[in-house]
Amino acid sequence: MREAFGRIISELGDEHKDLMVLTADVGNSTKAVYFREKFPNRYFNVGISEQHLIDFAAGLAATGKLPVVAGFAMFLMRAWEQIRNTVCRMNLNVKIVATHSGYSDYNDGSSHQSLEDIALMRVLPRMKVVVPADSWEVRRSLPVILREPGPIYYRIGRDYSPPITESFKYDFKIGEATVLKDGSDLVIIGAGVVLWDAIKVAEKLEQMNISTAVIDMTTIKPIDEKVIETYARKTGRIVTIEEHNVIGGLGSAVSEVVVKKYPVPIRMVGASDFGRSARSQRELLDYYKINDKSLMNASLELLRLKS
Amino acid sequence: MSLYNNDIHLGSSLSTVEILTTIVLKFKRDGSSEDKDWLILSKGHAAPALYAVLAEKNLIPTNELWKIQDINSILQGHPEIFIPGVDMSTGSLGQGLSFGVGVAEGLKMSRRNGRVYVIMGDGEQDEGQVWEAATHAASMKLNNLISIVDANGYQLDDATEEIKPKHYLPEVWRAIGWNVVHCDGHDIISISYALENGINSRKPTVIFAKTIRGKGLPLIENSKKQKVNNGDAEE
């Protein structure tokens, strides 16, 4: 996914003359460095200083520039207060591209893995939170993100990117979810690479004559209340899946809508602890049970509840 | 203002009045966007002093000053950009210089002539982010950036030298690559000379302005006291 980000942001530099790419010594790791090859004068490496990075971007934005900050999700969180007090309070046009989110930095272990960032960003007034499912959705959404005014947190992974949305044709719009599969007995709502598992489970449930919808909730804030309400009414059961702590993440965001619009039982699949090192992101998702098996168990549990 | 509201940071506002007066009324250009200067009060707790100076410039109605921190007033405890004349919302220490570096670079890239003034406290120099910003500004040779350290010798809990020594800071700024200037922070002529020096420098400039906390109110002068009680405020 970082590869897609690096390539696409470099393409967008021609169209957006004020676009600047900023990083804190992770230009190679985030692939932000691709932008430097084309636009060396609009690329800044501020050194290993994330707090300064965010406020430097805020200052650039205040003069009318379009700064895109690229960094590891985890280490951008040490600038949470800068994001809150300067970027969001002043409603500045700063785009924060957080790579290596979730377990995607599988080898580095828990210090580098970000399982709390959606909660931390979602709570901030004026901040929008976007989580593309795969590289194809990065291509669809990144140009839209740059045209949308105000602060946006754009959460991507590292390299693992199964083809979730590749075969789909739709335009990405902020605040609009994508129905990847329709269904009437159960809905699985997910964000990010874990939607791969959601689609697999939906197919299996379908073979068991359980009509299962899958929704790609790319924008976690502002969340698509309409699609959530529609599917809560239609299916009466919701399972969420996220590569993030279940506290404050996508599952929480969906629940906040459901309790208000049309209360139905919900099960949340996600993390509840820090991660660890492994050989791959996939291995970690299975190790922490954020996968098709957990989705299947949660789905069957909900189906038993109501029948 | 403190007569009407005893909750303002009076001592640290009084130490910075002449610095703000000199910049806002004498140096800061507000003209077209081509040469608009920016003023960032990174030590946002001196907001009352800023508001008073902005009132002198007719950007804020004088009778609004007495309403500071009132729930119906635009004047917040710390500066917000919705207040006329405020260029950055501040209040959390250590962030103004980083923002100023971004503005200064943004102006240069747009080939605008604006200058950026950032006022920090001496206690604020404890913040690590100040050093992230200072080293970056020096590496980019931002000669349109002038920061002023209001060296009143106190931070919240005690004298700055008691909390963490600050006497060596000018040497540190110089070593990083800044043009370091000293002035008397209560003497408008001295402040003006220092600012002129900064304007003509080819490097970013930091001005260490020696000030007295609570200047003009003997009951709190040169102490960590922020408040006079209502009776004493008659002073």
Side-chain angles (χ1 to χ4, degrees):
Chain A
M1 262 201 261
R2 56 177 174 173
E3 188 68 28
F5 161 67
R7 274 189 281 111
I8 297 159
I9 199 73
S10 307
E11 292 168 18
L12 292 166
D14 289 313
E15 177 190 339
H16 297 274
K17 299 292 177 216
D18 284 326
L19 174 60
M20 322 256 137
V21 174
L22 284 51
T23 187
D25 209 34
V26 286
N28 286 307
S29 310
T30 59
K31 307 297 177 196
V33 74
Y34 294 173
F35 188 84
R36 185 181 68 181
E37 289 159 15
K38 267 179 88 178
F39 309 100
N41 299 328
R42 292 197 263 148
Y43 176 87
F44 296 88
N45 181 351
V46 306
I48 309 168
S49 43
E50 293 79 10
Q51 299 168 65
H52 171 65
L53 175 70
I54 292 295
D55 281 339
F56 175 61
L60 285 171
T63 66
K65 303 295 181 195
L66 174 56
V68 170
V69 172
F72 283 29
M74 185 66 258
F75 304 120
L76 291 171
M77 290 307 103
R78 73 189 282 156
W80 182 86
E81 203 252 36
Q82 282 74 11
I83 296 170
R84 178 199 184 273
N85 265 328
T86 300
V87 174
C88 291
R89 251 169 90 221
M90 293 172 70
N91 199 22
L92 290 166
N93 200 15
V94 176
K95 311 303 177 206
I96 300 169
V97 176
T99 66
H100 296 69
S101 69
Y103 297 106
S104 65
D105 197 353
Y106 51 85
N107 52 333
D108 278 318
S110 66
S111 64
H112 284 54
Q113 294 161 355
S114 167
L115 298 163
E116 306 84 10
D117 52 326
I118 292 175
L120 288 166
M121 290 296 113
R122 195 165 79 80
V123 73
L124 293 174
R126 296 164 195 167
M127 177 63 83
K128 298 185 178 91
V129 179
V130 176
V131 182
D134 55 16
S135 308
W136 293 270
E137 209 166 62
V138 170
R139 177 161 288 286
R140 272 183 217 103
S141 59
L142 197 56
V144 179
I145 296 305
L146 295 192
R147 286 193 297 269
E148 178 81 9
I152 298 179
Y153 184 74
Y154 191 75
R155 184 192 206 238
I156 61 175
R158 192 175 167 187
D159 301 323
Y160 175 63
S161 181
I164 298 159
T165 70
E166 185 184 14
S167 58
F168 288 82
K169 285 210 174 0
Y170 60 93
D171 292 326
F172 170 80
K173 286 199 186 102
I174 294 209
E176 266 184 37
T178 307
V179 179
L180 297 178
K181 185 182 167 309
D182 200 5
S184 56
D185 296 327
L186 173 86
V187 59
I188 301 174
I189 302 176
V193 294
V194 289
L195 279 162
W196 177 247
D197 292 59
I199 292 169
K200 271 205 296 191
V201 168
E203 283 164 4
K204 272 186 212 158
L205 286 165
E206 214 60 53
Q207 288 163 11
M208 298 158 67
N209 277 328
I210 300 160
S211 169
T212 308
V214 178
I215 292 173
D216 175 3
M217 194 59 74
T218 316
T219 315
I220 294 186
K221 189 188 167 197
I223 202 158
D224 190 337
E225 298 199 356
K226 224 168 93 185
V227 85
I228 295 173
E229 185 183 351
T230 302
Y231 278 85
R233 285 179 186 278
K234 190 168 168 183
T235 67
R237 332 173 157 78
I238 300 174
V239 181
T240 63
I241 182 161
E242 60 197 301
E243 196 184 3
H244 183 274
N245 198 300
V246 288
I247 299 175
L250 172 69
S252 298
V254 169
S255 305
E256 287 159 14
V257 177
V258 169
V259 292
K260 189 169 65 181
K261 300 282 186 183
Y262 190 78
V264 296
I266 299 176
R267 291 293 176 273
M268 298 178 204
V269 176
S272 55
D273 200 353
F274 299 117
R276 54 157 297 124
S277 287
R279 300 277 177 230
S280 75
Q281 185 176 356
R282 188 64 251 179
E283 195 182 7
L284 282 167
L285 288 169
D286 291 331
Y287 184 86
Y288 289 107
K289 301 186 168 59
I290 305 172
N291 60 7
D292 50 346
K293 283 196 194 91
S294 299
L295 274 177
M296 180 59 89
N297 291 341
S299 303
L300 294 176
E301 189 191 322
L302 279 185
L303 288 158
R304 275 196 300 270
L305 267 185
K306 277 234 166 162
S307 55
Chain B
M1 273 185 256
S2 113
L3 265 178
Y4 293 86
N5 183 344
N6 213 10
D7 283 330
I8 63 172
H9 291 256
L10 185 58
S12 29
S13 293
L14 289 171
S15 70
T16 200
V17 168
E18 288 86 356
I19 297 168
L20 280 166
T21 304
T22 311
I23 294 173
V24 174
L25 299 179
K26 194 171 167 197
F27 281 83
K28 189 172 186 263
R29 298 165 299 175
D30 301 300
S32 68
S33 64
E34 291 309 305
D35 60 359
K36 177 197 175 324
D37 293 333
W38 292 61
L39 171 63
I40 294 155
L41 186 61
S42 192
K43 50 169 286 185
H45 51 280
L50 175 63
Y51 301 155
V53 174
L54 293 175
E56 282 296 318
K57 213 173 172 172
N58 295 322
L59 286 168
I60 295 171
T62 308
N63 59 10
E64 190 72 22
L65 294 178
W66 322 126
K67 298 186 207 152
I68 185 169
Q69 294 183 11
D70 187 279
I71 194 146
N72 293 313
S73 172
I74 54 160
L75 301 183
Q76 303 300 299
H78 292 83
E80 297 273 357
I81 46 165
F82 56 73
I83 301 168
V86 171
D87 290 332
M88 179 191 179
S89 298
T90 55
S92 170
L93 294 176
Q95 299 196 31
L97 189 60
S98 288
F99 183 85
V101 172
V103 172
E105 179 62 23
L107 294 177
K108 277 197 178 251
M109 293 187 82
S110 306
R111 299 184 202 289
R112 284 183 252 164
N113 301 315
R115 299 183 189 110
V116 183
Y117 300 97
V118 180
I119 302 175
M120 293 181 281
D122 46 1
E124 184 175 2
Q125 307 298 300
D126 287 352
E127 289 282 5
Q129 192 184 344
V130 170
W131 305 98
E132 297 183 357
T135 45
H136 190 214
S139 75
M140 292 199 297
K141 301 182 175 61
L142 292 174
N143 61 349
N144 55 347
L145 178 63
I146 298 176
S147 62
I148 300 98
V149 177
D150 175 5
N152 64 25
Y154 286 89
Q155 49 200 100
L156 261 185
D157 274 355
D158 215 330
T160 50
E161 289 302 304
E162 296 295 324
I163 305 292
K164 200 156 80 171
K166 310 261 185 305
H167 57 268
Y168 52 76
L169 289 180
E171 293 166 48
V172 177
W173 283 87
R174 190 173 291 116
I176 290 171
W178 285 63
N179 170 40
V180 179
V181 183
H182 295 268
C183 77
D184 175 345
H186 295 302
D187 178 348
I188 285 174
I189 293 171
S190 177
I191 298 167
S192 300
Y193 271 121
L195 290 169
E196 292 286 359
N197 180 313
I199 287 167
N200 294 319
S201 170
R202 296 170 72 175
K203 298 176 181 175
T205 293
V206 58
I207 298 167
F208 280 84
K210 183 71 199 89
T211 58
I212 296 166
R213 203 185 207 202
K215 169 79 172 171
L217 280 178
L219 278 165
I220 64 167
E221 226 174 51
N222 206 20
S223 78
K224 64 175 180 179
K225 284 185 223 156
Q226 284 287 13
K227 300 173 184 179
V228 283
N229 67 40
N230 285 335
D232 293 335
E234 299 294 336
E235 283 275 333

